[in-house]
Amino acid sequence: MSVFYIDGEYMDSKDAVLSVSDMAVLRGYGIFDFMRTYNGRPFYLKEHIQRLANSGAHVGLDLPCSQEELFDIVMETLKRNSFEESNVRIVYTGGISPDSVTPQGNGKLMVMVTEKLDLPEWWYTDGAKIITNDVERYMPEAKSTNYMNAVLSLQKAKKADAIESVYVDRDGRVLEGTTTNIFLYSGGKWVTSDKGILPGITRSVVLDLLEGEFEVELRDLSREDIKKAEEVMISASNKEIVPIIQVDELTIADGKPGEKTLKVMELFKEFTTAYGLGKTDSVKEKTAV
Ligand SMILES: Cc1ncc(COP(=O)(O)O)c(C=O)c1O
């Protein structure tokens, strides 16, 4: 059983309902953000709330409360649940509108806490395949509830025995996955795209952890860069860091997770294992949430 928050109330998830007239249902108009807990604490909650507000600014939806109030609501919702580790989803919908296209500022704010589920172990030990897909996301800096591109792209990936699909735009820029950011190790440095993407919180934590350990370059990536890459990895809140051993039909290096990727996974593990326990001095924590 999960306890959800909707619009001022905490309730059993099965009683949490939304009007069928909400613009989120009729128009796919709404924003959300997603994070998980480590040691029971939401990972970079402040940054996720800030990103949610930023998504709202992009699509013209103002949050109905302050970021500090939302922080407290998330913490309270977590307290009312009792999972060892949780996934946390914050959603703010477009609300009900007489013509179903003009927002009236009456959206529903929801915080949904569910049990964190583990992903297949082999992704991390053996590495996984991803595909590229010629798709452009509308307003990539915003995390909107319209994930049509992601749903379709992931279906395509699954058909190709891949775990993720990476968007490539009309200029041939390799941007990001449906719910991940991508890093290539090439020419002695980690390279990741910087424009036309959702600024991933995991990506930013990884960039912090890379400091002092590896050289880093933020720039546009192309399919040609993938061909030259010695290692590839993807990052996301729900996946952490996954080593990628195949992109489309191309095997990366010897088809095994590379040592640089394994090092980054180790740094990330060290950081998240200590997260929230007051022992994070050995690794960088941007914000003590
Ligand atoms: C389009 C897109 N890019 C990147 C990410 C990775 O972001 P984060 O690391 O904050 O989970 C996500 C997460 O869902 C996403 O939807």
Side-chain angles (χ1 to χ4, degrees):
M1 204 270 292
S2 278
V3 175
F4 286 1
Y5 166 96
I6 296 197
D7 229 22
E9 283 180 55
Y10 297 90
M11 62 190 78
D12 189 324
S13 56
K14 68 176 172 13
D15 300 322
V17 292
L18 180 69
S19 167
V20 291
S21 302
D22 196 295
M23 286 174 70
V25 178
L26 297 180
R27 307 291 183 189
Y29 180 63
I31 49 170
F32 82 104
D33 218 287
F34 173 93
M35 79 214 77
R36 58 157 290 179
T37 62
Y38 289 97
N39 299 312
R41 288 183 65 197
F43 194 54
Y44 284 74
L45 174 56
K46 253 180 165 164
E47 284 76 2
H48 280 280
I49 291 175
Q50 173 65 55
R51 188 171 70 182
L52 180 76
N54 191 47
S55 297
H58 272 92
V59 307
L61 272 176
D62 287 334
L63 291 178
C65 61
S66 70
Q67 295 192 29
E68 291 73 22
E69 281 163 342
L70 183 50
F71 186 99
D72 292 344
I73 292 169
V74 171
M75 294 308 280
E76 180 60 29
T77 315
L78 271 167
K79 222 164 90 186
R80 289 176 187 237
N81 284 278
S82 49
F83 303 116
E84 198 176 320
E85 296 295 358
S86 312
N87 286 332
V88 181
R89 192 177 284 269
I90 312 174
V91 184
Y92 185 55
T93 71
I96 298 173
S97 154
D99 62 1
S100 71
V101 284
T102 316
Q104 307 289 304
N106 61 9
K108 293 281 182 203
L109 179 65
M110 320 193 237
V111 178
M112 302 154 80
V113 170
T114 51
E115 185 171 22
K116 191 202 132 322
L117 301 173
D118 289 332
L119 290 165
E121 186 59 26
W122 68 263
W123 288 16
Y124 303 91
T125 52
D126 303 353
K129 174 185 175 184
I130 59 174
I131 60 166
T132 55
N133 196 13
D134 294 316
V135 166
E136 283 182 31
R137 225 154 61 77
Y138 179 63
M139 283 194 190
E141 303 82 9
K143 207 164 159 62
S144 92
T145 52
N146 182 342
Y147 261 48
M148 187 86 82
N149 284 336
V151 171
L152 299 180
S153 298
L154 270 180
Q155 283 172 7
K156 205 166 161 184
K158 279 191 188 128
K159 276 194 195 130
D161 286 327
I163 66 155
E164 176 63 304
S165 177
V166 173
Y167 300 136
V168 182
D169 75 3
R170 70 190 78 182
D171 300 319
R173 292 189 304 166
V174 174
L175 299 167
E176 61 184 336
T178 63
T179 59
T180 58
N181 292 108
I182 183 166
F183 290 76
L184 309 180
Y185 190 83
S186 196
K189 50 185 133 169
W190 280 110
V191 192
T192 188
S193 45
D194 199 35
K195 293 192 203 92
I197 59 167
L198 182 80
I201 307 289
T202 320
R203 170 184 177 277
S204 101
V205 172
V206 167
L207 288 175
D208 280 351
L209 292 170
L210 292 180
E211 242 182 83
E213 297 277 347
F214 291 100
E215 253 188 77
V216 173
E217 192 180 355
L218 308 181
R219 64 162 166 85
D220 290 345
L221 304 176
S222 65
R223 283 195 170 99
E224 209 44 49
D225 289 318
I226 293 179
K227 281 190 194 142
K228 289 192 216 137
E230 294 155 49
E231 297 190 25
V232 179
M233 63 181 185
I234 55 174
S235 70
S237 296
N238 68 340
K239 296 185 181 62
E240 305 183 311
I241 295 155
V242 185
I244 299 305
I245 53 160
Q246 190 180 341
V247 181
D248 296 320
E249 295 320 309
L250 176 80
T251 301
I252 305 297
D254 62 356
K256 295 199 185 95
E259 70 182 54
K260 315 280 187 311
T261 304
L262 293 173
K263 174 71 186 166
V264 179
M265 289 166 72
E266 185 189 310
L267 289 170
F268 193 78
K269 178 98 191 145
E270 185 193 350
F271 182 58
T272 53
T273 303
Y275 190 76
L277 298 181
K279 295 181 201 153
T280 50
D281 307 346
S282 60
V283 281
K284 278 188 73 177
E285 183 168 23
K286 248 180 26 180
T287 318
V289 176

